[in-house]
Amino acid sequence: MKKTTIGGMALIEGIMMKGPKKISIVIRKPNGELYREVKDLTIDDTNKLKKIPFVRGVFILFEQMVLGTKALMKSANIALEELPDEEKEKRKDFVDKLFEKKVFQKLGITDIAIYFSVILSLLVGILLFFYIPTWSVEIFKSFELNSFWKNMIEGIVRVIVFILYLLFASQIKEIKRVFEYHGAEHKTIFAYENGEELTAENIKKYSTHHPRCGTSFLFIVIIISIIVFTLSGWQSVVMRTLIRLLLLPVIVGISYEIIRWAGKSESILARIISYPGLWLQNITTKEPDEKQIEVAIEALKEVVPEDKKLDEW
């Protein structure tokens, strides 16, 4: 089994695949036809920070969020095409809530909507996974716990909030469909890594759980944050929140290097580190049907490089 550099992302009724040279979007339109969009990746070789270990993760993550938001917005718009007006209005409500971009659409400011969506997502993430957990520890004030145990309690709350967030999201009908495409993306990449011919029958036998997944990355971020924050001591709620925000790039940088290493390593340590994230993919990935696998196949084929050496770690 080879380790590919190709990664993907599930969209609304579609999949985005990113290879070493190209990025593709394939979406199932309401009439059953496939929409395709393939672009060459513009690589910024002037940004040397993107090549420095423990620094590059922050820049790569932000780029991925922007690319992913653009692809999601594209898939949302295509998914609304040719639907009956009544169904279209229902779906529009979901899309508008997802991106909070109604006002920007009216003004025709698409790029601002994309960056606004990314920043809003980051702020919601900080509120849910940083401020609420650190604030919640104030409940235990009367127990006179030392800073180590306070940080541990905060970390446990952060893990619980993260799992509850995933469970809640998985109950939304539209998100369930996205998770099925997420499963199709993982299965197809696994089949490709194993040198299989890309057919639905071959792909079905592979797991929906993949070590190089955003779910696994986010869980590693949470675990690394517990370790780093424990070393930072314990201050007031405001000061703790500020320190956690300042330390976030450090945590993301460390987490990126770990997920990168775990994704290409076959060691026992890598498997142990990957296991919790793989388990969480029971929530964020679902078994896809053949039509969803077909979308994943078409998206992957578009980004496979002619020079196979470009596609290996």
Side-chain angles (χ1 to χ4, degrees):
M1 177 181 172
K2 73 171 182 177
K3 298 294 184 177
T4 177
T5 60
I6 294 173
M9 175 180 171
L11 308 174
I12 297 171
E13 296 301 326
I15 287 175
M16 176 183 77
M17 287 284 187
K18 181 173 174 284
K21 293 288 185 181
K22 294 182 178 181
I23 186 167
S24 71
I25 296 172
V26 178
I27 299 160
R28 178 81 64 183
K29 296 167 73 172
N31 64 6
E33 294 177 1
L34 294 182
Y35 169 88
R36 303 165 193 268
E37 185 177 302
V38 184
K39 292 181 179 178
D40 291 328
L41 276 174
T42 53
I43 300 171
D44 183 9
D45 292 324
T46 62
N47 191 348
K48 294 180 180 178
L49 292 175
K50 285 169 62 177
K51 298 178 182 179
I52 302 174
F54 300 101
V55 174
R56 59 189 172 190
V58 177
F59 294 92
I60 291 169
L61 176 63
F62 188 78
E63 278 187 359
Q64 286 294 100
M65 289 185 72
V66 171
L67 278 174
T69 303
K70 285 181 178 179
L72 269 171
M73 291 173 73
K74 169 76 74 174
S75 68
N77 289 329
I78 291 170
L80 290 174
E81 289 178 5
E82 301 170 21
L83 284 175
D85 290 342
E86 187 178 334
E87 183 66 21
K88 192 178 286 188
E89 286 304 314
K90 288 180 184 176
R91 298 281 186 95
K92 270 186 178 177
D93 289 340
F94 171 74
V95 171
D96 289 332
K97 286 175 186 175
L98 186 64
F99 297 109
E100 298 291 338
K101 62 188 180 68
K102 255 182 183 174
V103 63
F104 298 106
Q105 283 182 326
K106 287 177 181 177
L107 294 171
I109 313 174
T110 308
D111 285 344
I112 292 178
I114 289 166
Y115 284 99
F116 176 79
S117 298
V118 171
I119 293 167
L120 182 66
S121 299
L122 287 170
L123 290 175
V124 170
I126 289 166
L127 175 67
L128 278 177
F129 306 124
F130 288 90
Y131 182 75
I132 290 176
T134 197
W135 174 82
S136 68
V137 182
E138 296 298 305
I139 298 168
F140 300 93
K141 242 198 276 190
S142 59
F143 288 88
E144 297 183 1
L145 300 169
N146 61 33
S147 63
F148 172 82
W149 286 110
K150 287 177 180 177
N151 277 295
M152 288 302 294
I153 291 169
E154 179 190 344
I156 291 167
V157 172
R158 188 173 293 114
V159 171
I160 291 170
V161 169
F162 180 57
I163 294 172
L164 288 176
Y165 172 80
L166 293 179
L167 287 170
F168 173 76
S170 69
Q171 299 308 304
I172 301 170
K173 185 177 72 172
E174 289 87 354
I175 298 297
K176 280 183 180 178
R177 291 284 296 172
V178 173
F179 286 174
E180 287 169 6
Y181 278 101
H182 193 191
E185 172 225 324
H186 284 185
K187 280 175 170 282
T188 306
I189 290 176
F190 259 136
Y192 173 70
E193 288 177 331
N194 280 277
E196 296 269 15
E197 183 184 355
L198 295 179
T199 65
E201 284 306 311
N202 286 342
I203 289 167
K204 282 178 184 177
K205 64 187 177 187
Y206 286 97
S207 173
T208 61
H209 302 169
H210 199 287
R212 288 187 297 106
C213 173
T215 307
S216 297
F217 173 73
L218 288 174
F219 189 78
I220 288 173
V221 167
I222 289 172
I223 297 304
I224 296 300
S225 72
I226 294 172
I227 297 169
V228 173
F229 294 160
T230 299
L231 298 174
S232 69
W234 192 261
Q235 303 81 19
S236 66
V237 175
V238 174
M239 186 58 69
R240 286 201 310 273
T241 304
L242 181 60
I243 290 171
R244 277 142 179 69
L245 288 176
L246 292 173
L247 287 173
L248 188 55
V250 176
I251 292 163
V252 169
I254 295 170
S255 302
Y256 175 79
E257 299 304 324
I258 291 173
I259 197 79
R260 182 183 171 89
W261 167 77
K264 61 181 178 179
S265 174
E266 294 290 347
S267 68
I268 294 173
L269 179 59
R271 292 180 186 181
I272 292 170
I273 289 171
S274 298
Y275 181 79
L278 292 172
W279 179 83
L280 280 172
Q281 288 176 46
N282 286 309
I283 302 173
T284 62
T285 64
K286 303 297 178 187
E287 284 294 332
D289 58 32
E290 286 198 8
K291 287 187 175 181
Q292 291 166 325
I293 291 173
E294 180 192 353
V295 170
I297 291 171
E298 295 303 314
L300 179 58
K301 283 180 177 177
E302 297 287 0
V303 301
V304 172
E306 292 180 12
D307 183 355
K308 297 297 180 184
K309 289 182 180 179
L310 291 172
D311 189 28
E312 296 177 356
W313 288 102

